[in-house]
């Protein structure tokens, strides 16, 4: 199988597997006081140190969670109290669901943020919490977090960054760019599923969503998922071959365009590994199934979570609503090899030719 669905989950890296196994072989709950508990606690705190170091924060400002859905919800719960929440219209459902009454900040046709609209909204709501993704999971379009950070600081607003798809691919010092907090999820950069983190600026108070046994300095109750946390910490610093991956991405994109595809977010700064391809007149699920039968795994719009093909709110927000049901996402994993380009190009061309032929014949 040719796996081109890295934005749903990246293949587990070797170091992550090793770290998770080592943690599984460590007996004990980090909250226990006996020697086994202390050994588990040591692993947990070493992981926290590593995350803090990579994220330019302090260990006590790292809250481990089950993933980014929880980290985003925790940020909104903790920082959004008494503040109007603003969210981009292309945000992930984990933000949309946690802030259902948020004021929407529109994007332009290329998927980048409408900064004039943001400025106007921050003028109206200077005490807002702005939740913004660093990179879009469907299109790969990057938001200018530095510009958003400057604008929030100028108005006195707080910024929370959903950095899930950017971490490991185009890391930045999110806190230095003005974020009060940011969310990450281990399995999106080669860790194992089940752990994420909310990283905050110095001393930010975090009111927990789950109290339980008072773990994570009272900010997140529940036994932490130690194997997944150990894996997350060890892969944060792994090298990522952005240029090599972007070259394959460009070649795949050019091949798809030659077969009739339209690229969503073309022209905007994007992740090196992501292409959102609409094939006008051909349903996304038809494309997905044809590629699956050719042994290629891609996803349709925002459907990666539920398995069902829903129309993408991301493309609709970009004014591409009519193409939303006809777009697939191709996201290259960190271990993609050159052979993937030819294989994808051939399968896409065959799929497009078959799908478009009946329409051409009847036209
Ligand atoms: N934000 C973005 C941009 C994502 O792509 C995802 C995962 N699809 C999440 C948040 C949620 O991450 P998780 O499912 O690991 O909780």
């Amino acid at each position: 199988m040719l796996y081109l669905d890295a934005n749903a989950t990246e293949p587990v890296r070797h170091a992550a597997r090793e770290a998770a196994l080592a943690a599984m072989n460590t007996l004990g709950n980090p909250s226990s006081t006996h020697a086994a508990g202390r050994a588990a606690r040591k692993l947990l705190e070493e992981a926290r140190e590593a995350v803090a170091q990579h994220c330019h924060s302090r260990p006590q400002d790292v809250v481990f969670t089950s993933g980014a859905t929880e980290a985003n919800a925790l940020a909104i719960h903790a920082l959004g109290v008494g503040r109007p929440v603003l969210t981009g219209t292309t945000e992930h459902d984990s933000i949309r669901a946690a802030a259902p009454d948020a004021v929407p900040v529109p994007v332009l046709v290329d998927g980048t943020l409408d900064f004039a609209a943001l400025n106007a909204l921050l003028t109206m709501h200077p005490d807002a919490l702005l939740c913004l993704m660093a990179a879009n999971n469907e299109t790969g379009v990057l938001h200018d977090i530095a510009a958003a950070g400057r604008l929030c600081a100028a108005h006195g607003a707080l910024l929370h960054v959903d950095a899930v798809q950017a971490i490991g691919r185009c890391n930045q010092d999110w806190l230095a760019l003005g974020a009060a907090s940011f969310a990450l999820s281990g399995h999106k950069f080669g860790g194992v599923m089940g752990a994420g983190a909310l990283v905050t600026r110095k001393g930010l108070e975090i009111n927990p969503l789950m109290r339980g046994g008072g773990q994570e300095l009272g900010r997140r109750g529940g036994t932490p998922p130690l194997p997944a946390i150990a894996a997350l910490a060890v892969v944060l610093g792994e090298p990522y071959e952005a240029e090599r991956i972007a070259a394959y991405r460009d070649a795949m994109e050019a091949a798809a365009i030659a077969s009739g595809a339209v690229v969503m977010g073309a022209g905007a700064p994007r992740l090196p590994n992501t292409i959102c391809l609409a094939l006008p007149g051909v349903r996304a699920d038809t494309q997905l199934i044809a590629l699956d039968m050719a042994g290629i795994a891609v996803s349709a719009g925002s459907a990666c979570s539920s398995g069902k093909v829903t129309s993408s709110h991301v493309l609709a927000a970009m004014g591409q609503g009519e193409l939303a049901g006809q777009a697939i996402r191709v996201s290259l994993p960190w271990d993609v090899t050159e052979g993937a380009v030819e294989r994808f190009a051939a399968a896409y061309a065959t799929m497009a030719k078959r799908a478009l032929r009946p329409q051409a014949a009847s036209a």
Side-chain angles (χ1 to χ4, degrees):
M1 197 235 306
L2 175 58
Y3 182 76
L4 298 176
D5 199 14
N7 289 11
T9 194
E10 282 276 12
V12 176
R13 287 181 183 260
H14 177 71
R17 196 173 279 117
E18 296 286 300
L21 266 176
M24 277 188 258
N25 289 329
T26 304
L27 198 61
N29 183 318
S31 298
S32 300
T33 36
H34 47 62
R38 292 199 303 276
R41 162 69 61 182
K42 183 165 176 286
L43 267 190
L44 180 65
E45 296 313 323
E46 280 170 3
R48 198 186 308 279
E49 285 272 352
V51 172
Q53 202 174 1
H54 281 291
C55 297
H56 310 280
S57 84
R58 306 179 311 166
Q60 59 268 48
D61 297 315
V62 175
V63 184
F64 286 121
T65 63
S66 60
T69 300
E70 186 189 331
N72 280 335
L74 183 59
I76 290 170
H77 173 76
L79 308 182
V81 183
R83 292 176 179 272
V85 179
L86 309 184
T87 60
T89 47
T90 56
E91 294 304 302
H92 186 263
D93 279 343
S94 57
I95 290 285
R96 285 153 46 93
D101 302 321
V103 179
V105 185
V107 297
L108 305 174
V109 283
D110 67 355
T112 58
L113 202 69
D114 182 342
F115 274 92
L118 175 62
N119 194 29
L121 288 168
L122 285 174
T123 305
M124 268 195 284
H125 308 286
D127 57 341
L129 167 68
L130 171 66
C131 298
L132 204 58
M133 65 201 327
N136 187 272
N137 49 305
E138 292 184 32
T139 60
V141 169
L142 305 178
H143 279 328
D144 187 343
I145 297 299
R150 282 193 297 272
L151 212 48
C152 283
H155 286 274
L158 285 183
L159 172 65
H160 167 70
V161 175
D162 174 350
V164 168
Q165 296 289 349
I167 300 247
R169 296 176 180 152
C170 48
N171 292 322
Q172 294 198 65
D173 185 347
W174 312 106
L175 299 176
L177 294 182
S181 62
F182 66 93
L184 55 101
S185 192
H187 73 102
K188 302 285 187 181
F189 49 90
V192 305
M193 295 175 189
L198 180 69
V199 182
T200 73
R201 75 177 170 220
K202 214 171 165 176
L204 204 70
E205 209 166 293
I206 297 293
N207 191 22
L209 265 175
M210 300 183 288
R211 292 181 187 277
Q215 290 91 342
E216 297 294 297
L217 299 176
R219 294 164 302 180
R220 197 264 186 187
T223 302
L226 197 52
I229 288 172
L232 178 160
V234 83
V235 289
L236 254 184
E238 292 267 304
Y240 184 78
E241 297 174 281
E243 275 178 32
R244 181 178 68 85
I245 291 168
Y248 301 164
R249 187 270 318 265
D250 290 346
M252 288 184 187
E253 190 168 302
I257 291 170
S259 294
V262 182
V263 178
M264 302 287 102
R270 280 185 289 151
L271 285 173
N273 78 318
T274 307
I275 327 170
C276 183
L277 293 169
L279 191 58
V282 184
R283 286 170 50 132
D285 53 353
T286 306
Q287 300 177 45
L288 192 143
I289 290 163
L291 291 172
D292 190 29
M293 283 169 65
I296 299 181
V298 299
S299 85
S302 58
C304 60
S305 55
S306 59
K308 68 179 190 295
V309 178
T310 50
S311 188
S312 159
H313 72 274
V314 174
L315 299 186
M318 291 163 67
Q320 302 281 5
E322 77 285 1
L323 288 178
Q326 299 159 27
I328 60 165
R329 175 185 70 189
V330 179
S331 50
L332 284 59
W334 62 268
D335 60 353
V336 66
T337 57
E338 195 174 3
V341 174
E342 198 46 53
R343 195 160 159 208
F344 172 78
Y348 193 90
T350 306
M351 177 277 290
K353 212 159 148 190
R354 283 205 189 122
L356 293 171
R357 197 170 38 204
Q359 287 146 14
S362 64

